[in-house]
Amino acid sequence: MTRARFQTFDDPSHAKGPERIEALRAALREVGAEGFVVPRADEHQSEYVPANAERLAWLTGFTGSAGTAIVLQDAAALFVDGRYTVQAPAQVDTAAMTVVPVAETTPEAWLGAHLKAGQTLAYDPWLHTPDGVARLERAAAKAGASLRAVERNLVDVVWAGRPRPPAGRVAAHPEALAGESASDKLARIRAALGEGGLDGLVVSDPHNLAWGFNLRGADLGHTPLALGYALVPREGRAALYLGSPDIDPTLREALSPLADLHPRAAFPEALAALCAGAARLRLDAATGAAALRTLVEAGGGVADVGPDPVTAMKAVKNAAEIAGTRAAHHRDGLAVTRFLAWLERTGPVSEIAAVEALEDFRAATGELRDVSFPTISGSGPNGAIVHYRVTRATDRASRAGELFLIDSGAQYADGTTDITRTVAVGAPTGEMRERFTRVLKGHIAIARAVFPEGTTGAQIDALARLSLWEAGLDYDHGTGHGVGAFLSVHEGPQRIAKTGTVALKPGMILSNEPGYYKPGAYGIRIENLVLVEERAVQGGERTMLGFETLTLAPLDRHLIDAGLLGAADTAWVDAYHARVRDSLSPDLDGEARDWLAAATRPLAAG
């Protein structure tokens, strides 16, 4: 029997020319508005959204993980960041909608230039945070227009055949893997509420719901989440409001002493009841919808918009989560190494064939729960599309003299992985080797960094770019994102980026992934996951931190120009490869073990 795969390669749902946009404009006229905002979001501001929330993709054809469309009666625009400036124009009917890089023009600035005095801009209050609504209000007011919430999303009004909401199974996440009981987590959450003078917490982030109550779900692909909400009063029982009725009896039993389980439909009434007596409730600024603030205030409560305390707790992994993550990376390293050996043996392959082969190697571990995101498998020019997703229409075979970039990850019950390797197909050019080595130097600079407690990701992001900057080069994405423990492969609040303002703490897991992209030619990215840990510095006066590299898989030596590396860089590569070889070789068969020995020999060996 053929195994069901976690990733498919169907072509995206492209907009049928201007047909769907015109249908939305007709719906706007019905409600007496001139414009509508369509973010790539669900009610929880999730990165991966269920099929029924893929409104942006249905309307525009754009399938990226971030973006916003604004449709007016006489203009329409799709706003994307640097990851999607190549992908978006290829997917969108640019005759009907203009693709706008947010680095050049923000949605608010565009509204200021296109919205007219006296017009009304409509929005769905469940898909925007209070801060997002405030930005839209300022933009509308500046244009002399008004902003209005609609009761029903206007895309839903015109979306024939819209999928039903998901209802996946919700199960317990074992305490042995979680490392802490839900009871103890709730006690920590309530202590944080007390310190903040809060009467309760509205948990709108499904990741925080999963972590806080030690549960995992199946409502989304790639991330084991149950979509819903939780109410945690400072005193009294917590309550969960889940969209799925399929709740494992083991979870019901585990939660019975701590919380009540209810259908999601009961949430608005319960929230209103919790607001009685002017209760001050924390709404998460990052994931709490503007509609939640309206409900709290209508119920007589005070909406305290700020960070959900669970987010910071979840970011710092405990000993059990770290041990599980290390085990997951060892298992995943074996699968990726077998794949890399297969890729070199096989020679040029199609992008889809590479995706399927890598998934098969991971599935052969017997522990794969899902891929942690759709694999980015880009040969030649497709590798220059930062978040490229291969379809049967775009699939191409790699060719000699090209680079192949594959960015992938796995979900195992004990950990989440994310790794990118760029490999040469045949003999690489001198330029490819030079640019790869500059990216590698940036990767090593992050891996070797030692920094004082309190340092943010923004303060070390430049280390990854210095070698590229010296050559007049750069990349338009962050250097590292947080990663969960059998949760989201993209987890906040920690990140290594120009916008990374959260201090890094021991126990946080992040990616280290500088890159370089030459449009129409090739892309380069080198990604390992790293764990923040304390570092002893002889004679030091402050608590210092550094990174332990968790990912175990060789780098392509054919792409390394050793002459561009300093002695410390060369020592790092050789030490990393020795660690990969010593860790993985005992669990590999003869052919893969021999390949790994050759792939990890010292750089001086040629």
Side-chain angles (χ1 to χ4, degrees):
M1 179 179 294
T2 303
R3 179 182 63 82
R5 294 191 177 276
F6 292 115
Q7 185 168 343
T8 60
F9 308 97
D10 298 329
D11 295 340
S13 177
H14 287 280
K16 305 299 188 289
E19 177 183 321
R20 294 176 181 175
I21 293 173
E22 289 304 316
L24 178 58
R25 286 177 170 141
L28 277 168
R29 291 190 289 271
E30 288 291 322
V31 299
E34 286 74 32
F36 190 63
V37 185
V38 185
R40 206 279 183 171
D42 64 1
E43 293 87 340
H44 310 280
Q45 299 295 309
S46 303
E47 177 183 13
Y48 298 111
V49 301
N52 70 311
E54 287 281 13
R55 298 178 180 92
L56 186 63
W58 180 86
L59 180 69
T60 70
F62 171 62
T63 60
S65 63
T68 299
I70 300 177
V71 177
L72 304 179
Q73 290 294 348
D74 57 356
L78 171 66
F79 301 86
V80 297
D81 62 31
R83 296 171 295 175
Y84 297 114
T85 52
V86 176
Q87 175 181 336
Q91 292 185 315
V92 172
D93 182 347
T94 54
M97 175 168 281
T98 304
V99 175
V100 181
V102 292
E104 298 176 7
T105 305
T106 65
E108 293 78 21
W110 187 90
L111 283 170
H114 291 82
L115 201 58
K116 298 178 178 63
Q119 292 187 329
T120 298
L121 179 68
Y123 73 100
D124 182 343
W126 286 99
L127 302 185
H128 300 264
T129 64
D131 182 62
V133 171
R135 291 196 301 271
L136 291 175
E137 284 177 335
R138 289 192 294 270
K142 189 173 182 179
S146 60
L147 187 68
R148 189 175 88 213
V150 292
E151 291 186 7
R152 186 182 178 196
N153 190 291
L154 297 183
V155 173
D156 297 351
V157 171
V158 300
W159 186 352
R162 180 173 170 241
R164 295 178 60 82
R169 189 165 182 77
V170 188
H173 185 54
E175 190 175 323
L177 296 176
E180 184 179 7
S181 69
S183 176
D184 287 347
K185 290 179 178 180
L186 284 171
R188 282 209 279 155
I189 294 168
R190 289 191 169 102
L193 296 178
E195 292 170 4
L198 300 166
D199 298 304
L201 169 68
V202 179
V203 182
S204 52
D205 186 343
H207 304 86
N208 292 358
L209 188 151
W211 182 88
F213 292 91
N214 284 347
L215 61 84
R216 296 295 188 268
D219 283 344
L220 298 180
H222 316 309
T223 308
L225 298 179
L227 298 181
Y229 298 91
L231 297 176
V232 182
R234 190 172 64 188
E235 298 179 1
R237 286 173 64 81
L240 282 72
Y241 301 86
L242 302 177
S244 174
D246 188 6
I247 300 173
D248 189 277
T250 303
L251 177 61
R252 287 186 183 275
E253 182 179 353
L255 291 179
S256 61
L258 309 172
D260 298 317
L261 291 169
H262 302 282
R264 181 171 175 149
F267 172 69
E269 183 178 347
L271 178 58
L274 188 59
C275 293
R280 179 176 291 275
L281 302 182
R282 170 57 54 88
L283 300 182
D284 184 20
T287 66
L292 295 178
R293 182 174 64 180
T294 300
L295 287 172
V296 169
E297 293 173 347
V302 177
D304 185 296
V305 179
D308 180 342
V310 177
T311 301
M313 297 176 190
K314 174 169 53 54
V316 176
K317 309 301 183 285
N318 59 42
E321 290 172 319
I322 292 170
T325 296
R326 288 194 178 111
H329 277 277
H330 181 87
R331 182 186 310 118
D332 203 57
L334 291 167
V336 172
T337 296
R338 290 185 173 110
F339 164 76
L340 292 173
W342 169 86
L343 189 62
E344 185 168 302
R345 264 194 332 269
T346 306
V349 298
S350 76
E351 294 164 341
I352 289 178
V355 174
E356 291 181 334
L358 180 51
E359 185 176 314
D360 285 344
F361 282 114
R362 285 183 164 126
T365 67
E367 302 290 340
L368 182 66
R369 299 294 186 89
D370 200 342
V371 294
S372 55
F373 57 94
T375 299
I376 298 167
S377 176
S379 66
N382 288 342
I385 303 172
V386 178
H387 274 200
Y388 170 70
R389 181 176 178 182
V390 58
T391 69
R392 300 199 184 281
T394 65
D395 185 30
R396 73 185 294 275
S398 58
R399 302 167 189 169
E402 292 185 339
L403 299 184
F404 201 115
L405 185 155
I406 189 151
D407 183 349
S408 68
Q411 293 284 10
Y412 304 105
D414 50 3
T416 301
T417 70
D418 185 2
I419 174 176
T420 307
R421 289 295 182 264
T422 305
V423 299
V425 181
T429 67
E431 179 188 275
M432 291 173 178
R433 297 181 74 236
E434 181 256 341
R435 306 258 160 122
F436 180 91
T437 307
R438 289 187 182 278
V439 173
L440 176 59
K441 285 169 70 70
H443 180 93
I444 295 170
I446 295 295
R448 296 182 60 242
V450 178
F451 46 91
E453 187 177 40
T455 298
T456 68
Q459 290 174 291
I460 64 174
D461 177 79
L463 297 178
R465 302 175 188 269
L466 285 176
S467 184
L468 289 165
W469 287 349
E470 289 171 354
L473 309 171
D474 202 357
Y475 52 93
D476 293 326
H477 58 75
T479 301
H481 54 81
V483 179
F486 189 40
L487 275 174
S488 178
V489 74
H490 295 146
E491 177 182 275
Q494 71 275 24
R495 57 187 318 215
I496 302 172
K498 297 172 184 177
T499 55
T501 58
V502 172
L504 303 183
K505 297 181 179 180
M508 287 181 169
I509 296 173
L510 303 101
S511 65
N512 172 10
E513 51 177 311
Y516 168 75
Y517 310 91
K518 186 174 183 178
Y522 59 85
I524 296 166
R525 189 158 62 250
I526 302 170
E527 179 184 19
N528 287 339
L529 297 192
V530 295
L531 171 70
V532 183
E533 60 181 2
E534 288 195 17
R535 284 287 170 83
V537 177
Q538 188 174 3
E541 298 176 351
R542 299 189 180 187
T543 299
M544 303 298 289
L545 306 177
F547 296 116
E548 173 196 344
T549 296
L550 298 169
T551 304
L552 298 169
L555 306 165
D556 189 352
R557 294 173 75 264
H558 302 100
L559 284 169
I560 300 175
D561 184 345
L564 291 178
L565 296 179
D569 294 335
T570 299
W572 185 91
V573 172
D574 286 345
Y576 176 69
H577 274 162
R579 179 173 161 236
V580 170
R581 183 175 60 249
D582 293 345
S583 298
L584 301 183
S585 291
D587 297 313
L588 291 171
D589 55 29
E591 190 173 32
R593 187 171 59 246
D594 292 344
W595 178 88
L596 180 61
T600 58
R601 66 188 185 278
L603 292 179

